[in-house]
Amino acid sequence: MATKTVVTEKRYRIGEFATKTGLSGPTLRYYEKEGLVKPHRSDNGLRYYTDADASWIKFLLHLKGTGMTIEQLKQYVAWRAEGDATITKRLQLLKNVRRGFLQEFEELQHSMTILNDKIDWYQGKVDGHISDNEGFANYLASLNHEE
Amino acid sequence: MATKTVVTEKRYRIGEFATKTGLSGPTLRYYEKEGLVKPHRSDNGLRYYTDADASWIKFLLHLKGTGMTIEQLKQYVAWRAEGDATITKRLQLLKNVRRGFLQEFEELQHSMTILNDKIDWYQGKVDGHISDNEGFANYLASLNHEE
DNA sequence: CTATGAGTTAAAGTCGACTTTAACTAATGT
DNA sequence: ACATTAGTTAAAGTCGACTTTAACTCATAG
């Protein structure tokens, strides 16, 4: 009789998983304490994570990247655990997050413009294109940005 | 002999200036303590700010918005106080800030894509376009984003 | 001229998001 | 077997960026 081979999903212990996700071990434990991720335990009591857990963490980090706080993520995860009944709540939460994010995004673009102008101005001074005593306000006025 | 009228710049006391800049009084004092802004004093000892101070604060807030920390702003301000000898240093600092900011910007855009996809997925579930048991991973795969 | 609302200072407190410490147990290479 | 290296917990500490408190003084309308 041939040996039966059970294909088991890869198990990552916390150290390897930390490397994989770019988080630290303590941060993973912290996220777990906050209920954001639920690793599994091997028979010996050590945590292990799977590739599915990695996808989940990545998704969470993207949400976090859009400005969601840990508290908001906890709310989202709590609703998710409640099942389909909370789908509209989750959708609403994500839409609110997107609204805030878009707003922030516009401000970022404006700041980027200002930063670029300032860099150009300094570059001009360094390269001698801008007279020694032309101020930045002056220079800005010479561009056509609204403020 | 006609009365001489000296046109004086408007003076904002801290409360009015806080409203004008969107910062709080304590925050303005904090920034002052960190050397980011130097308000003036009237004869009675109260702080006052001018429109030029407001422009300066706005500029600082834009830099802050691009990800500069208070410490970096302090460095920038310190160099600025040293005069033209530090222009290349300041230019270099701002360019570094821009590099980091652009990098962050790309990550933000990616997160935005994920957030949008997730919202679309929820919307699909709510509207019934997506079958009850199609997971997000599945849905993502049906789009053509790289990850 | 006095009540009420700003403004003053220095110092302590808060908050979010981790990080570090301490005191342990488990796994692994030689 | 033993020395490293990795993992375990709960609790305390850190850090950046403010915010709050306390104990004052100053400004101004009635």
Side-chain angles (χ1 to χ4, degrees):
Chain A
M1 175 183 168
T3 314
K4 269 186 197 159
T5 306
V6 177
V7 177
T8 313
E9 60 191 345
K10 166 128 211 242
R11 294 177 171 201
Y12 303 89
R13 294 205 327 216
I14 197 166
E16 194 183 359
F17 193 70
T19 306
K20 189 177 170 67
T21 55
L23 297 175
S24 71
T27 298
L28 283 168
R29 294 193 192 96
Y30 165 66
Y31 281 4
E32 177 180 355
K33 188 156 61 83
E34 298 302 320
L36 299 185
V37 58
K38 285 196 226 320
H40 324 273
R41 298 282 177 156
S42 347
D43 294 345
N44 54 33
L46 299 192
R47 285 174 183 81
Y48 72 86
Y49 301 79
T50 66
D51 285 309
D53 294 323
S55 301
W56 169 242
I57 291 274
K58 275 183 195 162
F59 174 61
L60 278 189
L61 292 179
H62 278 304
L63 288 188
K64 188 160 174 296
T66 64
M68 281 180 80
T69 63
I70 300 289
E71 282 308 306
Q72 285 180 302
L73 291 173
K74 281 170 76 168
Q75 173 67 89
Y76 177 80
V77 171
W79 275 336
R80 206 175 81 111
E82 284 178 42
D84 283 2
T86 62
I87 282 190
T88 53
K89 283 180 180 177
R90 281 180 268 161
L91 179 56
Q92 202 47 59
L93 172 57
L94 294 186
K95 282 184 173 175
N96 287 343
V97 166
R98 179 167 62 181
R99 261 201 313 101
F101 188 51
L102 285 173
Q103 158 105 35
E104 175 65 14
F105 215 81
E106 297 202 353
E107 284 162 25
L108 288 177
Q109 293 191 80
H110 186 200
S111 291
M112 187 66 193
T113 304
I114 302 285
L115 177 59
N116 278 328
D117 288 348
K118 192 74 182 191
I119 287 174
D120 290 349
W121 177 74
Y122 273 123
Q123 197 69 64
K125 282 203 114 178
V126 167
D127 298 350
H129 306 145
I130 294 180
S131 84
D132 259 19
N133 41 12
E134 178 176 2
F136 180 56
N138 244 338
Y139 175 72
L140 268 191
S142 80
L143 304 170
N144 15 352
H145 307 144
E146 309 298 317
E147 172 105 33
Chain B
M1 174 181 169
T3 314
K4 270 185 196 159
T5 307
V6 178
V7 177
T8 313
E9 62 192 343
K10 166 128 210 239
R11 294 176 172 199
Y12 302 88
R13 294 202 330 213
I14 197 166
E16 193 184 0
F17 193 70
T19 306
K20 190 178 169 67
T21 55
L23 298 174
S24 71
T27 298
L28 283 167
R29 294 193 191 94
Y30 166 66
Y31 281 4
E32 178 180 354
K33 186 155 61 84
E34 297 302 319
L36 299 184
V37 58
K38 283 195 226 322
H40 324 274
R41 298 281 177 156
S42 345
D43 295 345
N44 53 35
L46 300 192
R47 285 174 183 81
Y48 72 85
Y49 301 80
T50 66
D51 285 307
D53 295 322
S55 301
W56 169 243
I57 290 274
K58 275 183 195 163
F59 173 60
L60 278 189
L61 291 181
H62 279 302
L63 289 188
K64 189 161 173 294
T66 64
M68 283 180 78
T69 63
I70 301 289
E71 281 309 304
Q72 284 179 302
L73 290 173
K74 281 169 77 169
Q75 174 67 88
Y76 178 80
V77 170
W79 276 337
R80 206 175 80 110
E82 283 179 43
D84 283 3
T86 63
I87 281 190
T88 53
K89 284 180 179 176
R90 281 180 267 162
L91 178 56
Q92 203 48 59
L93 172 57
L94 294 187
K95 281 184 174 175
N96 287 343
V97 166
R98 179 168 61 182
R99 259 200 314 99
F101 188 50
L102 285 174
Q103 159 106 35
E104 175 65 14
F105 216 81
E106 297 201 354
E107 284 161 26
L108 288 177
Q109 294 189 72
H110 187 201
S111 291
M112 188 66 195
T113 303
I114 303 286
L115 177 59
N116 277 328
D117 288 348
K118 192 74 182 191
I119 287 174
D120 290 348
W121 177 74
Y122 273 124
Q123 196 70 65
K125 284 204 113 178
V126 166
D127 299 352
H129 305 146
I130 293 179
S131 83
D132 259 21
N133 42 10
E134 177 175 3
F136 180 56
N138 244 338
Y139 176 72
L140 269 190
S142 78
L143 304 169
N144 15 351
H145 306 142
E146 309 298 317
E147 170 104 30

